[in-house]
């Protein structure tokens, strides 16, 4: 009887999967369900989420929101957690009254005031479902909600008040649904890294 018991235990031990494999499977299942719960809670709370990067953002931008290549006062700093500190957008140096342009073709989904600040939001054409939304503030809108706009079209001007920057600026944001993304990812490399224009001599004639 003892011999039969020993043989049975030996066979069971040989057929059982390694403990490391069981632990890995358990960890993966736990992590997946936990992530789903976190996403469900975040969505239910209605609090916009942040993403470190999103390969689904197409470089559809054809112009900067302000100027030719404005100085970036503060870049995008995604928070480590849903409610954590961070900077959900990019601050671009821009004096009050500076024209603000749509970076790509789209439809104005909002044009009004939020917490005393002028805000314009544009749903970008051909960027998936839900579509990407490019936001600008503080901006005095010159286009109504629902208007179709083209890349480079003026949608408003920078307001004198309402900026959280130490210097005059426009805060440029990007969202897909409730997820914040890096707005600079909309710009193709040729536009993102292009320097200021420079005149060159023609036919050997020096510039004055």
């Amino acid at each position: 009887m003892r011999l039969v018991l020993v043989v049975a235990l030996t066979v069971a031990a040989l057929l059982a999967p390694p403990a490391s494999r069981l632990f890995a499977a358990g960890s993966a299942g736990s992590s997946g369900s936990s992530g789903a719960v976190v996403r469900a809670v975040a969505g239910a709370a209605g609090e916009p989420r942040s993403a470190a990067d999103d390969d689904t953002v197409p470089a559809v931008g054809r112009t900067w929101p302000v100027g030719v290549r404005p100085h970036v006062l503060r870049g995008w700093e995604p928070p480590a957690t849903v409610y954590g500190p961070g900077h959900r957008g990019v601050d671009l140096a821009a004096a009050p009254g500076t024209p603000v342009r749509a970076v790509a073709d789209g439809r104005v989904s909002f044009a009004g005031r939020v917490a005393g600040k002028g805000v314009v939001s544009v749903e970008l054409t051909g960027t998936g479902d839900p579509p990407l939304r490019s936001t600008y503030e503080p901006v005095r809108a010159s286009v109504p909600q629902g208007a179709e706009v083209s890349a480079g079209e003026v949608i408003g001007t920078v307001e004198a008040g309402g900026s959280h920057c130490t210097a005059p600026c426009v805060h440029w944001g990007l969202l897909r649904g409730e997820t914040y993304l890096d707005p600079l990812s909309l710009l193709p490399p040729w536009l993102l890294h292009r320097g200021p224009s420079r005149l060159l001599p023609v036919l050997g004639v020096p510039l004055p």
Side-chain angles (χ1 to χ4, degrees):
M1 183 59 125
R2 181 177 300 175
L3 179 59
V4 172
L5 181 60
V6 169
V7 171
L9 291 175
T10 302
V11 171
L14 291 174
L15 295 178
S20 59
R21 188 184 305 168
L22 288 173
F23 179 78
S27 298
S30 173
S31 173
S33 60
S34 174
V37 170
V38 170
R39 288 193 294 271
V41 170
E47 172 68 15
R49 298 188 300 273
S50 298
D53 58 0
D54 186 346
D55 293 337
T56 65
V57 176
V60 295
R62 292 296 174 264
T63 183
W64 284 85
V66 290
V68 177
R69 193 181 189 285
H71 180 57
V72 178
L73 299 176
R74 185 179 178 186
W76 186 62
E77 301 166 11
T81 62
V82 173
Y83 300 100
H87 190 234
R88 297 168 172 84
V90 173
D91 292 337
L92 305 175
T98 300
V100 178
R101 303 177 185 277
V103 298
D105 298 346
R107 182 184 65 85
V108 178
S109 56
F110 180 82
R113 307 198 72 78
V114 177
K117 298 180 181 179
V119 178
V120 178
S121 179
V122 179
E123 288 186 353
L124 306 183
T125 303
T127 55
D129 185 19
L132 293 170
R133 300 196 317 277
S134 186
T135 62
Y136 315 85
E137 63 176 89
V139 174
R140 184 178 301 280
S142 60
V143 289
Q145 182 172 327
E148 298 289 336
V149 295
S150 302
E153 183 175 341
V154 175
I155 57 176
T157 55
V158 179
E159 289 186 329
S163 173
H164 63 266
C165 305
T166 55
C169 79
V170 62
H171 180 79
W172 177 29
L174 179 66
L175 300 94
R176 186 187 293 282
E178 296 180 345
T179 302
Y180 282 99
L181 302 167
D182 184 1
L184 292 179
S185 61
L186 285 173
L187 302 181
W190 64 266
L191 184 59
L192 187 62
H193 304 296
R194 184 179 66 185
S197 301
R198 184 165 59 94
L199 295 176
L200 297 174
V202 178
L203 299 177
V205 179
L207 293 174

